[in-house]
Amino acid sequence: MSFLMLLLIVLLNLSKLCVDSRKIPAEPSTCPLSFGFLYELAKESSPRRALMDVQTQCQYIQKGILFVRSDYLRTDGYFVPPEHSVHACWETYRTIVSAYLQDFDVQNTCGYHPEWISGMFMNVTSQEEFESLIPGSELKEMRMTCNQSLDNDNVCDSCIRKLSKIDEIHLQGRRDTNDSSDGTDYMFMYAAAFSNSVGSRDLATAKCFFKLEFSVDEFVSERKHKSVISGVFLGCLVGALGAFIAVWVFWMLHKRSDKGKKKENKLYDDNNKEDASLEIGVRSTNLVKFRIHEIRTATTNFSRKNIIGKGGYGNVFKGKLLDGSEVAFKRFKNCSASGDSSFAHEVEVIASVRHVNLVALRGYCTATFPLEGHQRIIVCDLMHNGSLYDHLFGSEPEKLTWPIRRKIALGTARGLAYLHNGVQPAIIHRDIKASNILLDDMFEAKVADFGLARFNLFGTSHLSTRAAGTLGYVAPEYALYGKLTEWSDVYSFGVVLLELLSGKKAYENNEGEVSLLTDWAWSLVKEGKAMEVIDERIPGRDSVELMEQYVHVGVICVHPELHARPTMYQVEKILETKMQLGKKDSVLEAS
């Protein structure tokens, strides 16, 4: 169901606590945004039933804030509330969401986004400033187009086309690099506030301008036909029961006559036979238990031309399922069949963890190959932009711009912060590195292989006491003593961040002499030369202060003392809010 309607139901329930049930729930005086006006909508509408992934839920949350901001513009004449109230508004919204959606924390799931509340375009804060950007004749024509009943889809479509045209002619191309919002959001907030004759607080406005859909008639219609449906259902049930009994009797007789004719093979050939364990159980609705022949078909029998990654654990293959979707198959070699049950359970747990900055796990497979032994395969979404390693150190590395590098750093921090704080019990990744940071079509970072690092080591029949991880990325306390904490991931993240900034690998082996990126970066920062860590060839470089701050974040994350490192949540906050770390040498105080 849409997030906005969940929000409305929460407000409706909160209102029952008031002495006067008709009174809108009170809001903190420090937040001028009127979240309470949604209460009136909740009384007259029902939520539309729909299943949404995390990314869609976060988008609904953002659109809901734009909807409330449009009402604030109508009543107060401003697109953004006062700066001092932004945090209070965020916490109000966050509290409302978590009160209804248990285990769904907006901040941990979607990230901390104060710009959703205070995001500005061209430093425009008021109605008058915005109207000065667009000719009065255009605004008048827009109001005439949109000042009709938006319940009519044709009217809504016509209005949206007009808004898009105005945006394209007068606003696009004028966005400043410091803008945290865009002209389209402002255009829709303005239209929602002033174009509709019934005001901004109606269902049609929410749907037309912010894609927040409601269904008023769905449950009314359901109740109206309940008795009819029940009667039809009962008749169908009786008929189906009789048919089922007849089919069952026939099947049992057939089974007896055919008993002893079937033989089971312990080993399966490469073309159409599978591990017997794959025959047990029913496929989960959330996680698919793939059969080996499906994976062979998708990968053209594990063709070398489909290999997109290699490692000590095995290879990663790209492939296409029967439904046309492209996926990646990670194949673990030299495993023991005795560990399949714990592997399957762990994969089920991992698949339940969803976040916009985590790679979604689709399914898994366990199978025995006559020549290669027992193996395990996990199936994930395919990321067409490959890994961060490909872009930084591939055969033809692409020079990522500074804004994209910042986006990747923040997305990775959000994903790890969610693993550490957003799920219970917390998940420690163990093997954060550039090749485990995948990039989607929009260069959004997706952390891969979380929770699976130990299978790289414990897949064989014998146990290993080695620390999971990759040379150059592993925290010293974990490498030396096997002490694993969330700060081990923080260290690895710091190494990745330094790679992003410098364009240098975590370690280099020159004629037997190993040089670590962390040692090199520390030495420069100690000498007050933080900017020398930054690759001077990065396109679109930002201010010196901000880029130095990123270097300081990377260095403090790789501090040799684990308790001197920040948490991933603190790192996320610093990168999100551009929080200053203080004096340039403050990073070194604990060293």
Side-chain angles (χ1 to χ4, degrees):
M1 67 176 63
S2 72
F3 168 78
L4 181 58
M5 281 314 306
L6 298 180
L7 170 60
L8 302 184
I9 293 173
V10 172
L11 293 174
L12 182 60
N13 291 334
L14 290 175
S15 68
K16 295 178 181 179
L17 300 176
C18 302
V19 176
D20 183 357
S21 62
R22 296 183 180 180
K23 184 178 294 185
I24 297 176
E27 299 171 354
S29 58
T30 53
C31 178
L33 298 183
S34 298
F35 292 106
F37 86 84
L38 299 178
Y39 168 77
E40 295 298 330
L41 293 180
K43 293 196 301 184
E44 300 178 2
S45 59
S46 300
R48 181 174 183 176
R49 292 173 176 174
L51 295 176
M52 293 185 181
D53 56 26
V54 172
Q55 186 170 2
T56 304
Q57 287 177 318
C58 293
Q59 290 171 351
Y60 262 72
I61 291 171
Q62 181 182 10
K63 295 296 185 182
I65 294 178
L66 291 178
F67 187 27
V68 174
R69 283 175 61 181
S70 70
D71 181 73
Y72 181 66
L73 175 63
R74 181 180 65 85
T75 58
D76 291 65
Y78 289 94
F79 285 91
V80 294
E83 185 176 356
H84 64 80
S85 67
V86 171
H87 184 70
C89 290
W90 174 264
E91 290 300 325
T92 299
Y93 204 52
R94 181 183 180 187
T95 301
I96 291 174
V97 176
S98 62
Y100 185 85
L101 295 176
Q102 293 184 358
D103 300 326
F104 188 98
D105 185 280
V106 175
Q107 191 155 299
N108 284 334
T109 305
C110 306
Y112 179 56
H113 289 286
E115 75 276 5
W116 289 355
I117 294 173
S118 62
M120 288 191 291
F121 170 72
M122 296 293 293
N123 289 323
V124 171
T125 60
S126 67
Q127 173 189 346
E128 291 77 11
E129 292 173 334
F130 181 73
E131 291 175 342
S132 68
L133 300 176
I134 303 171
S137 59
E138 292 273 26
L139 291 175
K140 182 178 180 181
E141 186 177 344
M142 181 268 289
R143 293 198 184 196
M144 291 179 62
T145 303
C146 300
N147 194 18
Q148 304 177 56
S149 175
L150 295 174
D151 287 316
N152 187 314
D153 290 341
N154 292 330
V155 173
C156 176
D157 292 341
S158 178
C159 177
I160 295 298
R161 285 195 298 270
K162 183 62 180 176
L163 295 176
S164 299
K165 183 178 179 180
I166 295 175
D167 178 38
E168 180 180 0
I169 296 175
H170 300 287
L171 302 181
Q172 286 187 14
R174 302 180 64 173
R175 182 172 180 176
D176 188 86
T177 55
N178 294 322
D179 287 346
S180 52
S181 186
D182 56 37
T184 303
D185 287 342
Y186 265 47
M187 203 73 243
F188 287 161
M189 283 191 287
Y190 181 85
F194 301 112
S195 298
N196 191 354
S197 58
V198 297
S200 62
R201 299 182 174 188
D202 68 286
L203 302 177
T205 301
K207 178 180 178 181
C208 182
F209 295 123
F210 306 108
K211 306 303 180 186
L212 299 169
E213 297 192 38
F214 304 85
S215 176
V216 178
D217 298 325
E218 178 181 0
F219 297 99
V220 175
S221 176
E222 182 179 335
R223 289 194 299 266
K224 187 175 182 180
H225 298 286
K226 183 177 180 180
S227 59
V228 176
I229 293 174
S230 298
V232 174
F233 175 76
L234 182 60
C236 293
L237 181 62
V238 173
L241 183 61
F244 172 78
I245 292 174
V247 171
W248 181 79
V249 172
F250 175 82
W251 179 78
M252 288 298 294
L253 292 175
H254 176 74
K255 183 179 179 181
R256 287 184 179 181
S257 66
D258 198 43
K259 185 176 181 180
K261 292 183 180 180
K262 295 183 178 180
K263 295 181 180 180
E264 296 183 358
N265 296 322
K266 294 183 179 180
L267 294 177
Y268 297 84
D269 60 39
D270 287 344
N271 294 322
N272 56 8
K273 296 182 181 180
E274 309 162 292
D275 176 35
S277 65
L278 294 180
E279 301 293 340
I280 301 175
V282 181
R283 293 191 179 195
S284 169
T285 56
N286 296 321
L287 187 67
V288 178
K289 192 175 184 181
F290 286 90
R291 301 183 184 280
I292 191 61
H293 73 83
E294 295 176 294
I295 299 179
R296 287 188 182 280
T297 300
T299 60
T300 317
N301 199 22
F302 298 105
S303 171
R304 289 184 177 274
K305 68 179 183 180
N306 288 326
I307 294 178
I308 57 175
K310 296 182 179 181
Y313 54 84
N315 297 328
V316 181
F317 298 81
K318 67 179 180 179
K320 183 177 292 187
L321 300 178
L322 293 178
D323 63 3
S325 58
E326 294 181 295
V327 295
F329 301 92
K330 188 163 189 176
R331 188 181 183 189
F332 296 87
K333 298 187 301 184
N334 302 321
C335 302
S336 170
S338 62
D340 280 354
S341 58
S342 60
F343 172 77
H345 172 72
E346 195 74 14
V347 169
E348 288 278 0
V349 173
I350 294 171
S352 67
V353 179
R354 298 283 179 173
H355 189 275
V356 293
N357 294 114
L358 300 177
V359 172
L361 187 62
R362 288 201 176 198
Y364 71 100
C365 172
T366 56
T368 298
F369 295 77
L371 298 179
E372 299 168 275
H374 194 72
Q375 298 185 24
R376 299 173 186 145
I377 302 169
I378 58 173
V379 186
C380 307
D381 289 336
L382 180 65
M383 298 295 145
H384 292 92
N385 265 323
S387 70
L388 177 59
Y389 185 93
D390 297 332
H391 289 270
L392 293 179
F393 314 117
S395 56
E396 296 181 0
E398 179 183 345
K399 287 301 176 185
L400 301 175
T401 65
W402 174 252
I404 290 179
R405 292 176 193 241
R406 285 184 56 193
K407 182 178 183 178
I408 293 171
L410 179 56
T412 304
R414 286 174 178 167
L416 288 174
Y418 181 74
L419 290 177
H420 291 178
N421 305 302
V423 295
Q424 293 295 332
I427 294 176
I428 302 175
H429 191 291
R430 300 171 180 239
D431 196 19
I432 288 294
K433 55 186 176 181
S435 58
N436 275 339
I437 309 300
L438 305 185
L439 306 173
D440 67 9
D441 294 342
M442 301 301 294
F443 285 92
E444 190 71 52
K446 306 278 186 177
V447 178
D449 286 3
F450 55 91
L452 285 174
R454 59 180 162 184
F455 291 116
N456 295 350
L457 301 176
F458 304 152
T460 56
S461 57
H462 68 278
L463 293 180
S464 171
T465 57
R466 287 196 298 118
T470 303
L471 179 62
Y473 295 93
V474 181
E477 73 279 356
Y478 186 31
L480 294 174
Y481 312 111
K483 185 175 183 180
L484 179 67
T485 66
E486 287 92 339
W487 284 278
S488 305
D489 282 351
V490 174
Y491 184 95
S492 301
F493 170 82
V495 178
V496 172
L497 181 56
L498 291 174
E499 286 183 318
L500 257 176
L501 300 173
S502 67
K504 297 180 180 292
K505 291 185 178 181
Y507 77 97
E508 296 284 354
N509 191 342
N510 298 320
E511 300 179 354
E513 183 178 349
V514 175
S515 59
L516 295 177
L517 173 62
T518 54
D519 293 343
W520 173 76
W522 265 101
S523 63
L524 287 177
V525 173
K526 285 182 179 179
E527 296 172 6
K529 302 176 181 179
M531 279 302 293
E532 292 189 18
V533 175
I534 305 290
D535 184 355
E536 61 183 13
R537 298 169 297 175
I538 296 177
R541 290 157 65 94
D542 213 320
S543 67
V544 172
E545 292 77 11
L546 181 61
M547 298 185 81
E548 282 189 337
Q549 178 180 316
Y550 272 68
V551 175
H552 292 158
V553 171
V555 168
I556 196 63
C557 284
V558 298
H559 197 287
E561 296 292 334
L562 67 93
H563 293 299
R565 302 169 202 155
T567 65
M568 283 312 308
Y569 176 73
Q570 290 170 329
V571 172
E572 178 193 354
K573 292 276 286 184
I574 292 171
L575 300 182
E576 179 79 43
T577 61
K578 302 180 182 179
M579 185 185 303
Q580 296 298 318
L581 291 176
K583 297 181 180 179
K584 292 182 180 179
D585 59 350
S586 62
V587 175
L588 308 174
E589 290 179 357
S591 62

